[in-house]
Amino acid sequence: FFQAEDGIRDKLVTGVQTCALPICVSDGAVNHIYGATYTASLTNATNVSSSSLVRSRYMRINNIVVVGFAVTVTPTSGSAATVLGISLPVASDFTNGGDANGAANALVSTTLVGATCLASVASDYITLSFTSANTSAHTFYGTAVYTVQ
């Protein structure tokens, strides 16, 4: 079951809604659905003076994991390539950068900063990569998807 708190919304519905929607699969392919919050560990990889976790959660459907996160990153230098590592809620064994992918955005002053999320083969975490707008804190909200290998 998904609940409204999991992100399912209808723009025509107002007020507080509580409902559960069944997930129906006719061939029985979905046999494991799980979701929870987790405390992601952050690794300051490139051009990061500090970082902090705002929140992280995930949903696993069989071997597919969807991660949602909010992190604050303070770059060392402005207009520079910046990389932060985000730990996985469910371990995997990445073999190439495309084994995980996603995106995140931060509004820094009036500048929208986009970031990519890819797998780190060497460290088995998700990398958040972006070009810093300046040296002020960048708070990113994003998602990434990967398959448990």
Side-chain angles (χ1 to χ4, degrees):
F1 289 89
F2 285 110
Q3 295 189 14
E5 293 80 11
D6 295 325
I8 299 172
R9 302 278 190 260
D10 187 322
K11 67 180 179 178
L12 302 176
V13 176
T14 61
V16 176
Q17 300 292 315
T18 57
C19 65
L21 304 173
I23 300 171
C24 299
V25 178
S26 60
D27 64 2
V30 175
N31 55 23
H32 179 79
I33 300 175
Y34 181 78
T37 59
Y38 80 106
T39 303
S41 297
L42 304 178
T43 302
N44 298 343
T46 305
N47 192 41
V48 178
S49 68
S50 67
S51 63
S52 63
L53 178 67
V54 177
R55 68 177 166 270
S56 55
R57 64 181 307 162
Y58 73 100
M59 176 175 276
R60 180 177 179 174
I61 303 173
N62 291 339
N63 284 338
I64 305 296
V65 179
V66 180
V67 177
F69 60 87
V71 295
T72 299
V73 182
T74 303
T76 305
S77 302
S79 300
T82 307
V83 180
L84 177 75
I86 303 171
S87 68
L88 306 175
V90 180
S92 189
D93 186 18
F94 296 142
T95 57
N96 68 64
D99 286 347
N101 59 72
N105 289 297
L107 186 59
V108 181
S109 187
T110 59
T111 303
L112 182 64
V113 179
T116 59
C117 300
L118 295 172
S120 171
V121 176
S123 302
D124 204 33
Y125 57 58
I126 296 167
T127 60
L128 177 72
S129 302
F130 62 98
T131 300
S132 58
N134 51 40
T135 57
S136 65
H138 296 45
T139 300
F140 284 92
Y141 300 89
T143 57
V145 179
Y146 67 94
T147 301
V148 176
Q149 307 275 343

